[in-house]
Amino acid sequence: MKRKVTLKQIAKELDVSISTVSKALRNSKEISEDTREKVQAFAKLYNYKPNNIALSLKNKKTKTIGIIIPEIVHHFFSKVIRGIELVANKRGYNVIVGLSNESFNKEVINMEMLANGSIDGFILSISKETLLQQDYHHFYETINQGMPIVMFDRVVNDVRCDKVIVDDLKGSKKAVNKLIENGCKNIAIITTKDYVSVGKLRTQGYLEALEDHKIQPKSELILKIVEELDAEDHLEDLEAEIECLIKNNPEIDGVFAVNELYALTAMKVAKKLKRKIPADIQVIGFTDGVLSKHATPSLTTVSQHAQQMGEKAAELLIDNLEHEEEEEHYKTVVIETELIERESTK
Amino acid sequence: MKRKVTLKQIAKELDVSISTVSKALRNSKEISEDTREKVQAFAKLYNYKPNNIALSLKNKKTKTIGIIIPEIVHHFFSKVIRGIELVANKRGYNVIVGLSNESFNKEVINMEMLANGSIDGFILSISKETLLQQDYHHFYETINQGMPIVMFDRVVNDVRCDKVIVDDLKGSKKAVNKLIENGCKNIAIITTKDYVSVGKLRTQGYLEALEDHKIQPKSELILKIVEELDAEDHLEDLEAEIECLIKNNPEIDGVFAVNELYALTAMKVAKKLKRKIPADIQVIGFTDGVLSKHATPSLTTVSQHAQQMGEKAAELLIDNLEHEEEEEHYKTVVIETELIERESTK
DNA sequence: ATCTACAACGAAAACGTTTTCGTGTTAACA
DNA sequence: TGTTAACACGAAAACGTTTTCGTTGTAGAT
C-alpha cells in the first residue's frame, strides 16, 4: 500500500527543495529544463496529485458547494441536484449534500457543519418547518460571514441572496386556464396550507385564472391539506379528504392539484367514484415527477424544469464566487413552466 | 460583514498566545480558570468555530465520505443516499456526491477528484459502462492508496472491499415462486444483458425457480433488453420489444421484470393487448420505486430495502475508518429482499 | 539562600501547498 | 579585475489548527 506522495517526499528523493518541486510541476521557467523534466517524470511515476485540503487551506477556497434540501427521495429535488452537479462539475466544483428532512434543527445543524470552511457557498431550498417558524437567522448569519447563498423553489424574499424560482403563479394560471378552455365549469384545487410559499402562489394563480374568466371562486372547492410533514405515510387520510371534496361537490369537473401526489390521489378517488377521466373530470398536476408520465391515465402537468433550476442556481452561485465584484445586487431568476398535456385532460 | 474569527485573532485581541486560546477552548487544565473563562466568553461572543479545513489538514481526516453513483434521479439511489446520509450525519460525517451518469470516464474523474484528500472513503455503485469494460483500475488504485471503499448493489467480486448487496438471486426466486404458486405456467422474464451483475443474478434466480418446479425454461420467454444507457429515452423501443414478446408467445401468463420500468411497460403492453391483470397475466417487478405503488393496477414487487442498504454501507465504511485495525478482512453484507404483494398478482 | 515543584503560559513544529524574496553561481562586459 | 545581469534554486511565510516541549514565576521546603 503506497500512500499518497507529497511534495516533501519528492523533494527529499530528488534532493532539491520543496519550492523547486512545486515550481517545476507548475512549469515555472524559474526552474531549469533539466530539473523540470526530472521532477515531472518522478511525479508522474508516483502519480503525484496535489492535496485538495492543503490547497483549500492555502487558497481559502474549497471548490465545493453545499446543497441543503428537505428531502432527496423526491424527483423534483433529485433532478435539481443533477442540474447542480452537472454545472458544478463542469466548472470544477464538487457538491456536498445535507438533508434537512423538513426539520428546522437539522437545517441549522447541517448549515453550521458546512459553514466552517468546508464549502464556498450554499444552494438550498428551505424546509417546511423553517418556513412555518419563520426563523431565518441561520441564513442571515451565513451571509453575514461572507458566504453566498442561492435559494431555489422554496425561498423567502427578505433574505438578501440570489434566488431561482418557478413562476408558480403563471404556471398554475396556465393549468387552470387550460381546464377552463377545455370546458370545465367547476374547478377544484387541492393545495397546501399557505405557509408553503409555492402552495400559496399556486392557489393564487388558480384564483386569478378564475377571476380572469369571471368565474366566482367557491371556498368549498378549495382544499388545503395539512401536511403531516410526511404525506406518504398518511395516504389514507389524504384519500379520505379528497373523497370528501368530490362527494360533497359532485359538480366538480376539473381538478388542479399543486403536486403529483395530490393529483394522483385525486385520479384514484375519481376512478373509485366511477368518474371517467378526462370525460367527467379533468385533472392537472404541478410537478416534474415520473409518476405523472406512467400513471393511467397519464397526467397532464405543469412541468417545473427542475434540472434547469439546478443548473441556473449553480451558475449563479459560481459566478458570484468567482467574480468578487461584490455588487451586492441579487438576482431572482424565474424559470418558466411548461404545460405538458397528457391523457388526463381533453 | 464580520468574517469568521480565528484563533490568531482571538489571541491577539486578548493578548495571549494562540496555544493558550486553543487550550482554553478545549478546557485544558493547563490554563487558569480565569483565562479559560475569558477566552471562552470572547469566543462565544464572536461565534468562534474551528475551521474544518485546517482540522482536516492537521488530522489527516476530513470526516467526509464520497458517494459515487450512476444516477441520482432514481428512487433506488436516492433512497440509498438518504440511508447513507442518515448514519453519516449521526456519526459526524458529511457526504459529498459525484454522479458517474453511467459513464466510465466520469466515474474515474469523479473518484480522482475526490481521492486527493477531500474524503476519507468511498461508497459507490459501479456504472454500467465500467461493468461492461471491466476496467477496475481506479478502484484498485484508490484502495492501494489506503482509502477504503464500500460497494453496494452493483459490485464486482474481485475488488477487495466491503460490499452491500441485495440477495438478487433469492429475491427473484421468491418472485417467480410466487407466480408459480399462483398458477402461472408460462412465465416470461424481462431482464438486462448479463454484464449488469444484478440482471444476471436475477435471471439466474428465475431459472432456478423454474428448475425447482421442474419447469423447462424456454429461451423465447427470456427477453434481454439492450440498455441504451438511458432507457427512459427509448420507451417506444422497449415497448415494441415487449409487445413482440407477448404477441409471439400468447401462452404467457406471468411476467417477471427485473426493474420497475420494464414491469410497468409490460403492464402497459398487456393492457394494450387486452389482457387483464392479474386475471390473464400476473406481473412482478424488482424495485424499490414509487411507480409500483401508484400504478394501476399497483405492482407486486420485490423490495430491495434501499435505505437500509445505504445505512449498512455507511456503517461499514465508518467502522472501517475508525477502527484502524487493518484487519484486511472484508465483509459482504446481504440485505434480504421482501415480496410486497399488490394488485398485479392474484 | 538554595532547591524543588508546580502552575500558567508561549514557541514551535506539523499537516501540504504556493509564492515572495532572497542568494549563490556563472557568464558577459567594461 | 571588477561590475552586472541572468539563471537556478532555496528559505520562509502563510493558511488555521493541535500538541509537545520548553520557559517563566512563585511558593514552599531545607
Side-chain angles (χ1 to χ4, degrees):
Chain A
M1 185 169 71
K2 43 173 184 175
R3 294 226 160 235
K4 297 238 64 161
V5 64
T6 71
L7 287 188
K8 191 194 270 193
Q9 290 163 33
I10 300 182
K12 194 171 185 180
E13 213 67 35
L14 260 47
D15 205 38
V16 293
S17 77
I18 296 179
S19 355
T20 303
V21 178
S22 175
K23 290 170 190 164
L25 289 177
R26 326 193 93 241
N27 264 321
S28 159
K29 47 205 291 195
E30 228 180 311
I31 305 299
S32 73
E33 202 163 338
D34 256 23
T35 323
R36 256 188 287 170
E37 279 172 9
K38 204 169 52 180
V39 170
Q40 291 184 7
F42 193 92
K44 188 161 196 174
L45 180 64
Y46 281 85
N47 191 29
Y48 169 79
K49 295 277 168 52
N51 181 302
N52 282 333
I53 297 292
L55 286 180
S56 297
L57 184 59
K58 178 132 224 338
N59 302 333
K60 294 178 154 248
K61 303 214 165 168
T62 61
K63 288 272 185 179
T64 304
I65 75 192
I67 305 180
I68 310 279
I69 50 172
E71 172 62 272
I72 197 170
V73 186
H74 199 295
H75 259 76
F76 175 71
F77 286 118
S78 55
K79 275 204 165 183
V80 173
I81 295 188
R82 188 210 256 165
I84 297 174
E85 213 263 354
L86 186 74
V87 341
N89 234 302
K90 199 179 293 170
R91 297 183 66 168
Y93 283 72
N94 280 117
V95 303
I96 179 164
V97 322
L99 308 180
S100 69
N101 203 24
E102 302 288 10
S103 137
F104 173 78
N105 274 330
K106 275 210 71 185
E107 187 173 279
V108 173
I109 305 243
N110 254 308
M111 285 189 68
E112 282 177 353
M113 200 159 165
L114 295 180
N116 302 314
S118 303
I119 61 164
D120 295 340
F122 280 108
I123 295 179
L124 58 84
S125 192
I126 308 179
S127 86
K128 282 181 191 162
E129 203 183 353
T130 307
L131 288 170
L132 191 54
Q133 297 181 200
Q134 303 193 32
D135 182 348
Y136 307 129
H137 77 274
H138 48 311
F139 302 140
Y140 294 122
E141 279 170 14
T142 307
I143 291 172
N144 253 324
Q145 286 175 1
M147 177 162 299
I149 293 182
V150 176
M151 295 188 175
F152 71 89
D153 196 50
R154 301 201 206 146
V155 308
V156 33
N157 286 327
D158 313 354
V159 181
R160 308 212 60 200
C161 64
D162 287 332
K163 300 174 186 91
V164 182
I165 53 173
V166 143
D167 193 343
D168 288 290
L169 199 139
K170 210 162 150 192
S172 56
K173 277 180 87 167
K174 261 188 222 173
V176 177
N177 282 337
K178 182 75 196 172
L179 289 173
I180 296 174
E181 282 170 27
N182 282 5
C184 295
K185 300 295 179 199
N186 296 284
I187 301 171
I189 179 173
I190 308 175
T191 182
T192 66
K193 294 284 180 192
D194 279 347
Y195 67 84
V196 182
S197 57
V198 301
K200 186 175 180 181
L201 283 169
R202 291 173 194 172
T203 309
Q204 197 181 329
Y206 162 80
L207 293 172
E208 286 187 15
L210 293 186
E211 195 175 347
D212 287 354
H213 291 81
K214 314 280 182 216
I215 302 178
Q216 188 68 26
K218 300 181 204 152
S219 61
E220 319 89 80
L221 298 189
I222 300 178
L223 177 57
K224 292 188 181 175
I225 306 287
V226 291
E227 306 200 57
E228 297 300 337
L229 295 185
D230 196 353
E232 278 282 346
D233 288 350
H234 296 80
L235 267 183
E236 319 77 33
D237 301 353
L238 177 63
E239 214 171 307
E241 286 208 58
I242 296 179
E243 191 167 339
C244 258
L245 171 74
I246 300 187
K247 271 188 176 163
N248 292 343
N249 303 280
E251 76 276 18
I252 291 174
D253 53 4
V255 172
F256 172 54
V258 301
N259 64 41
E260 189 166 47
L261 187 62
Y262 294 175
L264 251 80
T265 310
M267 291 211 295
K268 190 170 168 190
V269 169
K271 278 186 277 189
K272 189 171 151 194
L273 298 177
K274 305 288 179 201
R275 311 286 187 91
K276 300 280 181 213
I277 300 171
D280 304 335
I281 296 186
Q282 300 180 52
V283 182
I284 298 185
F286 203 125
T287 178
D288 238 26
V290 72
L291 283 175
S292 316
K293 193 172 177 179
H294 296 284
T296 35
S298 58
L299 179 66
T300 296
T301 66
V302 181
S303 165
Q304 310 171 81
H305 297 157
Q307 177 161 345
Q308 196 185 332
M309 287 189 76
E311 291 170 14
K312 193 66 203 175
E315 262 157 20
L316 283 173
L317 182 63
I318 298 178
D319 283 350
N320 188 337
L321 289 172
E322 301 193 339
H323 304 304
E324 293 282 1
E325 290 145 27
E326 302 282 354
E327 300 173 37
E328 273 282 337
H329 182 66
Y330 295 109
K331 305 190 200 94
T332 293
V333 174
V334 177
I335 305 286
E336 288 295 320
T337 57
E338 183 186 359
L339 189 65
I340 300 183
E341 296 187 46
R342 299 205 185 85
E343 300 164 358
S344 67
T345 48
K346 286 178 190 170
Chain B
M1 185 167 73
K2 41 174 186 178
R3 294 228 160 233
K4 298 238 65 164
V5 62
T6 71
L7 287 188
K8 192 195 269 195
Q9 291 164 33
I10 299 183
K12 194 173 186 180
E13 212 68 35
L14 261 48
D15 206 38
V16 292
S17 78
I18 295 180
S19 353
T20 303
V21 178
S22 175
K23 289 171 189 164
L25 289 176
R26 324 193 94 240
N27 263 320
S28 159
K29 48 205 289 196
E30 228 181 310
I31 306 298
S32 74
E33 204 162 322
D34 256 23
T35 321
R36 254 187 288 169
E37 281 172 8
K38 204 170 51 182
V39 171
Q40 291 184 7
F42 193 91
K44 188 161 197 175
L45 180 63
Y46 281 85
N47 191 29
Y48 170 80
K49 296 275 168 52
N51 181 302
N52 282 332
I53 297 291
L55 285 180
S56 297
L57 184 58
K58 180 129 217 350
N59 302 332
K60 294 174 154 252
K61 301 212 165 167
T62 61
K63 287 273 185 178
T64 304
I65 76 193
I67 305 180
I68 310 280
I69 51 173
E71 172 60 271
I72 197 170
V73 186
H74 198 295
H75 260 76
F76 175 71
F77 287 118
S78 55
K79 276 204 165 182
V80 172
I81 295 188
R82 187 210 256 165
I84 296 174
E85 213 265 353
L86 186 75
V87 341
N89 233 301
K90 199 180 293 171
R91 296 182 68 168
Y93 283 73
N94 280 118
V95 304
I96 181 165
V97 322
L99 308 180
S100 69
N101 204 25
E102 302 287 10
S103 136
F104 172 77
N105 274 331
K106 275 210 70 183
E107 187 173 279
V108 173
I109 304 240
N110 255 308
M111 286 189 68
E112 282 177 353
M113 199 158 166
L114 295 180
N116 302 314
S118 302
I119 61 165
D120 296 339
F122 281 106
I123 295 179
L124 60 84
S125 193
I126 308 178
S127 86
K128 283 179 192 162
E129 202 184 355
T130 307
L131 289 170
L132 190 55
Q133 297 181 201
Q134 302 191 35
D135 182 348
Y136 308 128
H137 76 276
H138 47 313
F139 303 140
Y140 294 123
E141 279 171 16
T142 307
I143 292 171
N144 254 324
Q145 286 176 0
M147 178 162 298
I149 293 182
V150 176
M151 295 188 175
F152 71 90
D153 197 50
R154 301 203 207 143
V155 308
V156 32
N157 286 326
D158 313 355
V159 181
R160 309 212 59 201
C161 65
D162 287 332
K163 298 173 188 92
V164 182
I165 53 173
V166 143
D167 193 341
D168 287 289
L169 198 139
K170 211 162 147 191
S172 56
K173 277 180 86 166
K174 263 188 222 173
V176 177
N177 282 337
K178 181 75 195 173
L179 290 173
I180 297 175
E181 283 169 27
N182 282 5
C184 295
K185 300 295 178 199
N186 296 284
I187 302 173
I189 180 172
I190 308 175
T191 181
T192 66
K193 293 284 181 191
D194 279 347
Y195 66 84
V196 182
S197 57
V198 302
K200 184 174 180 180
L201 283 169
R202 291 172 195 173
T203 308
Q204 195 181 331
Y206 161 82
L207 293 173
E208 288 187 14
L210 293 186
E211 194 176 351
D212 288 353
H213 290 82
K214 317 279 182 215
I215 302 178
Q216 190 67 28
K218 299 181 205 152
S219 62
E220 319 90 79
L221 299 189
I222 300 178
L223 176 57
K224 292 187 183 176
I225 306 286
V226 290
E227 307 200 55
E228 298 299 338
L229 295 184
D230 197 353
E232 279 281 346
D233 288 350
H234 296 80
L235 267 182
E236 322 75 34
D237 302 351
L238 178 63
E239 216 172 308
E241 287 209 57
I242 296 179
E243 191 167 339
C244 258
L245 171 73
I246 300 187
K247 271 189 176 162
N248 292 343
N249 303 279
E251 74 276 17
I252 291 175
D253 52 5
V255 173
F256 172 55
V258 301
N259 63 41
E260 189 166 47
L261 187 61
Y262 294 175
L264 251 80
T265 310
M267 292 212 294
K268 191 171 170 190
V269 170
K271 277 186 279 189
K272 186 171 153 195
L273 298 178
K274 305 288 178 199
R275 310 289 185 89
K276 300 279 181 213
I277 300 171
D280 302 336
I281 296 186
Q282 300 181 51
V283 182
I284 298 185
F286 204 125
T287 179
D288 238 27
V290 72
L291 282 175
S292 316
K293 195 173 176 179
H294 293 103
T296 35
S298 58
L299 180 67
T300 296
T301 66
V302 181
S303 163
Q304 310 172 82
H305 296 158
Q307 176 161 347
Q308 195 185 330
M309 287 187 77
E311 291 170 14
K312 194 65 203 176
E315 262 157 20
L316 283 173
L317 182 62
I318 298 178
D319 283 351
N320 189 336
L321 289 173
E322 300 194 340
H323 304 302
E324 292 282 2
E325 288 145 26
E326 302 281 355
E327 299 172 36
E328 273 281 339
H329 182 65
Y330 295 110
K331 305 190 200 95
T332 293
V333 174
V334 177
I335 304 286
E336 289 293 321
T337 56
E338 184 187 359
L339 189 67
I340 299 182
E341 296 187 45
R342 299 205 185 85
E343 300 163 0
S344 67
T345 48
K346 287 180 187 167

